[in-house]
Amino acid sequence: MQTLTVQLKERSYPIHIGSGLLGRADLLMPHLPHKRAALVTNTTVAPLYLEQLHTALQSHGVKVIDIILKDGEQYKNAETLGQIYSALLAHRCERTTPLIALGGGVIGDMTGYAAATYLRGVPFIQIPTTLLAQVDSSVGGKTGINHPLGKNMIGAFYQPQVVLADIDTLNTLPDEELYAGLAEIIKYGLIRDLPFFEWLEQNMERLLARDAEALQYAIARSCKNKAEVVGADERESGERALLNLGHTFGHAIENGMGYGAVLHGQAVAIGTMMAADLSQRLGWISAEDVARIRKLFGRANLPDEGPPSLAPELYLQLMGLDKKVEGGKIRFVLLKAIGHAVVSGEVPEELLRQTLVACTK
Ligand code: NAD
Ligand code: GLY
């Protein structure tokens, strides 16, 4: 097991990464002083991992209330959030009762937001079970739900007390979901870690084969990158915005196609290729750089072109609603080089339109 720390003064917390961690309730016990917790998961993850976690917690005398939600990005909304609140109230959960999120990013984001708001804030524990959640969404405290008008538009920064990433859970993950997680892993290489990007070029096949050692390395390296960025800029007033590479385009795709139609990681991959194309049009990176990025996404079985049914006009409209808009200008995360991203609000609309046309099938 490896343990990293997100350094946020009194709100610092550990990220434990390794094999067999669902059985390591001892790692959670410092955060369960009253031996009571509410566990939020979904109908896919519950039959796979709930019993194992229950057994571990019960052996330490912890009483657990289960809240099992429908599975899917389309349920990451106010109605489902209301179901969490109702269950917490019905079971008389108190301010000291931690919420445990067991699942992917959808469960983690929703549970975190419920924890941030129920009784004005209760403790929160992340147990991510997708690759994407282990390398990204469980770390850093962004929590929230979607709105019909925009992705992740309602939410709060609310840090967990501990993150427990059991890499064994990745063995049951569908291939497409593994690939989706690889998109966020490649992101760290692109924005700030060229040696990691090169490592991914060398080791992509090992990751696709779910080689435990390679997965452990990639997850820990991703979490190290994310922890450094979040530790320096928790509330996204600067550097943290770089973690949104590909997301402005990607969120428009997710919203425009209907939540759940395109996986978040797939939308991020397409959005990242759009950001790379735009960076080339601005003269910042070369055609060889773009081809190199495209090749790595291709090897990770990720799409690199937007859906034909989404017209440039629709992107422009949807991106105008993104959280990254400031003073009416869309702020894009773009590449100055592989391993070096920047935020820019100065993108000529003509170049943006050219990118949208060029990167759509
Ligand atoms: P997800 O939560 O929908 O999980 C993907 C699918 O895998 C689901 O069907 C889920 O039930 C299933 N699943 C989960 N664990 C499994 C396992 N071990 N075995 C088999 N199936 C399993 O999707 P995701 O990719 O984990 O997360 C995407 C969400 O995360 C999006 O809503 C996105 O906005 C959010 N996100 C948040 C942040 C953040 O910083 N908070 C960062 C990135 C993404
Ligand atoms: N996924 C973007 C962030 O955590 O800031």
Side-chain angles (χ1 to χ4, degrees), residues 159-230:
Q159 301 294 340
Q161 296 200 332
V162 56
V163 180
L164 199 70
D166 184 340
I167 65 168
D168 294 347
T169 60
L170 303 179
N171 290 327
T172 55
L173 201 61
D175 286 340
E176 293 288 305
E177 299 292 351
L178 186 84
Y179 309 151
L182 291 171
E184 301 279 19
I185 292 178
I186 294 170
K187 174 183 82 178
Y188 296 111
L190 285 171
I191 62 171
R192 70 194 302 273
D193 193 351
L194 174 61
F196 186 35
F197 187 88
E198 290 166 348
W199 183 90
L200 289 167
E201 291 182 314
Q202 300 295 320
N203 290 279
M204 185 51 73
E205 274 61 44
R206 290 176 69 203
L207 293 173
L208 292 171
R210 303 183 197 224
D211 174 307
E213 198 189 320
L215 281 171
Q216 171 96 20
Y217 179 82
I219 295 165
R221 182 98 180 209
S222 299
C223 286
K224 180 173 177 290
N225 272 295
K226 182 141 190 190
E228 284 172 5
V229 173
V230 170

Side-chain angles (χ1 to χ4, degrees), residues 27-272:
L27 297 168
L28 303 180
M29 291 318 291
H31 311 286
L32 299 168
H34 299 279
K35 301 205 169 186
R36 192 167 184 239
L39 193 153
V40 184
T41 188
N42 70 26
T43 50
T44 303
V45 178
L48 293 169
Y49 298 113
L50 197 52
E51 197 182 324
Q52 198 180 341
L53 191 56
H54 270 182
T55 306
L57 287 167
Q58 277 161 7
S59 73
H60 287 263
V62 179
K63 287 202 170 61
V64 182
I65 295 146
D66 293 328
I67 303 173
I68 301 177
L69 305 173
K70 285 186 187 155
D71 182 13
E73 183 75 40
Q74 63 273 36
Y75 299 110
K76 185 181 169 183
N77 57 25
E79 192 186 337
T80 313
L81 185 69
Q83 290 168 12
I84 303 179
Y85 295 139
S86 299
L88 295 173
L89 287 164
H91 286 95
R92 299 182 188 282
C93 290
E94 300 170 357
R95 237 186 210 154
T96 51
T97 310
L99 295 199
I100 302 177
L102 174 71
V106 168
I107 287 294
D109 281 15
M110 271 198 299
T111 307
Y113 189 50
T117 47
Y118 180 69
L119 303 181
R120 299 197 179 87
V122 298
F124 170 40
I125 292 170
Q126 284 272 22
I127 307 188
T129 61
T130 63
L131 183 59
L132 186 141
Q134 294 187 354
V135 300
D136 193 351
S137 63
S138 65
V139 175
K142 276 192 184 175
T143 70
I145 54 170
N146 299 327
H147 186 279
L149 292 178
K151 170 97 182 124
N152 292 340
M153 280 294 162
I154 317 294
F157 287 100
Y158 195 69
Q159 301 294 340
Q161 296 200 332
V162 56
V163 180
L164 199 70
D166 184 340
I167 65 168
D168 294 347
T169 60
L170 303 179
N171 290 327
T172 55
L173 201 61
D175 286 340
E176 293 288 305
E177 299 292 351
L178 186 84
Y179 309 151
L182 291 171
E184 301 279 19
I185 292 178
I186 294 170
K187 174 183 82 178
Y188 296 111
L190 285 171
I191 62 171
R192 70 194 302 273
D193 193 351
L194 174 61
F196 186 35
F197 187 88
E198 290 166 348
W199 183 90
L200 289 167
E201 291 182 314
Q202 300 295 320
N203 290 279
M204 185 51 73
E205 274 61 44
R206 290 176 69 203
L207 293 173
L208 292 171
R210 303 183 197 224
D211 174 307
E213 198 189 320
L215 281 171
Q216 171 96 20
Y217 179 82
I219 295 165
R221 182 98 180 209
S222 299
C223 286
K224 180 173 177 290
N225 272 295
K226 182 141 190 190
E228 284 172 5
V229 173
V230 170
D233 177 24
E234 183 186 10
R235 295 201 161 226
E236 202 170 300
S237 47
E239 186 187 354
R240 185 164 182 171
L242 301 180
L243 294 174
N244 299 323
L245 176 67
H247 285 58
T248 301
F249 295 108
H251 285 170
I253 294 169
E254 288 188 81
N255 184 325
M257 296 302 289
Y259 298 128
V262 180
L263 299 183
H264 176 72
Q266 293 173 331
V268 166
I270 299 166
T272 301

